[in-house]
Amino acid sequence: MANAEVEAVDFEPDDDDLMDEDVGDGSPSRAAATIPRLKSAITGGGSSTPKKTKGRGFRDEAAAEADRNARMAGRFDSLDSDGGPGPERSIEGWIVLVTGVHEEAQEDDLQNAFGEYGEIKNLHLNLDRRTGFVKGYGLIEFEKFDEAQQAINEMDGTELLTQTINVDWAFSKGPFRRRNMRRRSPRGHRSRSPRRRF
Amino acid sequence: MADGEDNGEFYLRYYVGHKGKFGHEFLEFEFRPDGKLRYANNSNYKNDTMIRKEVFLTPAVLKECRRIVSDSEIMKEDDNNWPEPDRVGRQELEIVMGNEHISFTTSKIGSLMDVQTSKDPEGLRIFYYLVQDLKCFVFSLISLHFKIKPI
């Protein structure tokens, strides 16, 4: 990404810590269409590709931002977790998400397909509110981790009512970072000096 | 993760609320790019207090949310002909998907009648149904994760 301070060829513009220093310095690529509050909430001061913006919500930013901060501040309840990677247990069981569900599927179809892995404690197969057909996803709760894991392993990528479904965990213990987001420099320390070329 | 829209950012926030006799009553939820889903529901009705929940979603869930949004084609719409928020209430829908960022505001929509008699029935209808579908999705996720089943 464009950064006026890049000097050396080996400079790592993607280092997290260096990007933090740049926030708010008015560099052109950032001042463009990005809204400050959304930048921090959404992109974490990261990617600064200007977005095409649309809508009245971009007016009255200061007032709206203040309201929003007040609403979203404070503690949010969550279930205890060690914050590591991997699936997270829900209040009484493990939830898997099924996607690619055929629009005419019924709860019984999911019961029959997934019931062999364990007793299904909860099943949500939501409908499209406009058409009345199945929206395309289902959420299934198993009591035990192994039951859910086996359902995922064996049903992911299989066919249900002529359509391929995907099955995966729904909840995670911690955040995920997308592939193309910033990675920590392998050097592991802050230094703007170019790397030695050997 | 192979589809075209999946290589960009995704963020979604929805708010509906009003201020009145029972304080600032609102429902708000937010899908953040790191997978965190935050949900808040506030009312002072009968001295009730705010409910705030958050949980991390897997990439599979975010991908499904993106699909719901892109299937609706809401990103092609514009709110300039939609009713402005008023004393009765306000809705906000903010979505970042790929390189587009929309932030729509409008009043509460009571029913399809309000949609049909507006200046942009087509666009408002898309908004109306997308909001319902998103609420269904969020309520399912939150209730499955946090709610204990009655005996």
Side-chain angles (χ1 to χ4, degrees):
Chain A
M1 51 149 267
N3 185 326
E5 289 158 291
V6 172
E7 287 148 0
V9 172
D10 287 338
F11 183 66
E12 276 280 357
D14 288 349
D15 281 352
D16 276 356
D17 45 5
L18 298 172
M19 286 311 297
D20 288 345
E21 290 168 2
D22 289 339
V23 168
D25 71 353
S27 54
S29 60
R30 218 175 307 282
T34 335
I35 315 292
R37 61 183 166 104
L38 292 162
K39 181 163 59 121
S40 59
I42 297 163
T43 66
S47 141
S48 66
T49 44
K51 311 266 184 251
K52 292 190 317 198
T53 61
K54 197 168 34 164
R56 295 192 293 231
F58 293 105
R59 307 175 306 190
D60 297 332
E61 289 168 32
E65 178 179 359
D67 281 345
R68 198 174 149 274
N69 289 343
R71 287 196 308 267
M72 292 309 241
R75 250 187 30 87
F76 278 63
D77 299 332
S78 60
L79 301 184
D80 286 338
S81 141
D82 57 29
E88 177 168 271
R89 186 173 185 271
S90 298
I91 192 87
E92 292 181 314
W94 299 82
I95 313 286
V96 303
L97 174 77
V98 185
T99 55
V101 180
H102 191 280
E103 66 180 11
E104 291 181 24
Q106 302 193 18
E107 290 197 2
D108 279 354
D109 299 316
L110 287 186
Q111 276 284 356
N112 295 338
F114 286 86
E116 64 176 275
Y117 301 102
E119 186 191 343
I120 292 177
K121 299 302 219 170
N122 249 317
L123 178 79
H124 284 214
L125 185 62
N126 292 339
L127 304 181
D128 181 307
R129 297 301 305 258
R130 181 179 59 90
T131 66
F133 288 117
V134 166
K135 188 63 187 172
Y137 65 88
L139 290 156
I140 301 177
E141 178 175 353
F142 291 101
E143 191 176 344
K144 303 198 175 87
F145 175 85
D146 294 335
E147 295 169 343
Q149 182 69 79
Q150 199 189 354
I152 291 170
N153 294 344
E154 295 190 15
M155 295 298 292
D156 185 32
T158 61
E159 260 195 16
L160 183 74
L161 299 172
T162 76
Q163 237 171 256
T164 303
I165 57 171
N166 289 106
V167 188
D168 199 354
W169 299 103
F171 300 112
S172 171
K173 289 198 281 193
F176 66 88
R177 297 183 70 81
R178 290 180 295 116
R179 272 194 307 278
N180 53 346
M181 271 174 83
R182 243 153 301 288
R183 293 205 165 86
R184 291 246 156 243
S185 161
R187 290 189 288 166
H189 65 271
R190 304 164 59 115
S191 168
R192 297 177 95 114
S193 307
R195 288 200 196 120
R196 292 287 304 277
R197 299 196 223 218
F198 293 99
Chain B
M1 305 231 273
D3 67 36
E5 288 147 340
D6 205 38
N7 55 4
E9 301 174 50
F10 181 69
Y11 170 84
L12 185 146
R13 180 180 68 84
Y14 172 73
Y15 162 92
V16 58
H18 66 265
K19 293 179 184 165
K21 224 168 27 163
F22 304 111
H24 183 188
E25 298 184 276
F26 69 87
L27 164 74
E28 185 165 33
F29 52 80
E30 188 183 47
F31 287 80
R32 290 154 78 112
D34 62 357
K36 185 179 269 194
L37 168 66
R38 303 177 101 192
Y39 166 89
N41 195 328
N42 187 50
S43 171
N44 296 333
Y45 178 68
K46 295 191 179 176
N47 298 316
D48 204 7
T49 54
M50 173 128 46
I51 295 169
R52 278 183 167 133
K53 305 281 182 200
E54 65 181 14
V55 62
F56 281 106
L57 306 170
T58 58
V61 177
L62 273 211
K63 183 175 174 190
E64 180 65 7
C65 189
R66 286 181 87 118
R67 182 198 66 89
I68 291 172
V69 170
S70 77
D71 282 0
S72 75
E73 303 193 328
I74 187 77
M75 304 301 285
K76 298 185 185 157
E77 300 302 322
D78 199 324
D79 64 353
N80 51 19
N81 286 322
W82 297 359
E84 291 257 8
D86 55 25
R87 278 232 57 90
V88 173
R90 162 184 202 96
Q91 292 186 82
E92 295 172 8
L93 180 66
E94 190 173 352
I95 304 178
V96 175
M97 200 151 89
N99 68 343
E100 289 179 81
H101 182 173
I102 61 171
S103 181
F104 296 159
T105 61
T106 189
S107 59
K108 285 199 185 184
I109 301 174
S111 72
L112 273 176
M113 274 298 289
D114 295 341
V115 168
Q116 277 153 9
T117 54
S118 74
K119 288 194 288 173
D120 176 18
E122 301 295 313
L124 206 53
R125 182 174 302 116
I126 290 174
F127 174 86
Y128 178 72
Y129 285 116
L130 173 63
V131 162
Q132 292 189 38
D133 288 333
L134 289 173
K135 281 180 180 172
C136 275
F137 195 34
V138 170
F139 292 163
S140 284
L141 291 167
I142 295 292
S143 70
L144 282 168
H145 191 62
F146 289 102
K147 207 165 177 152
I148 299 178
K149 272 192 108 158
I151 299 170

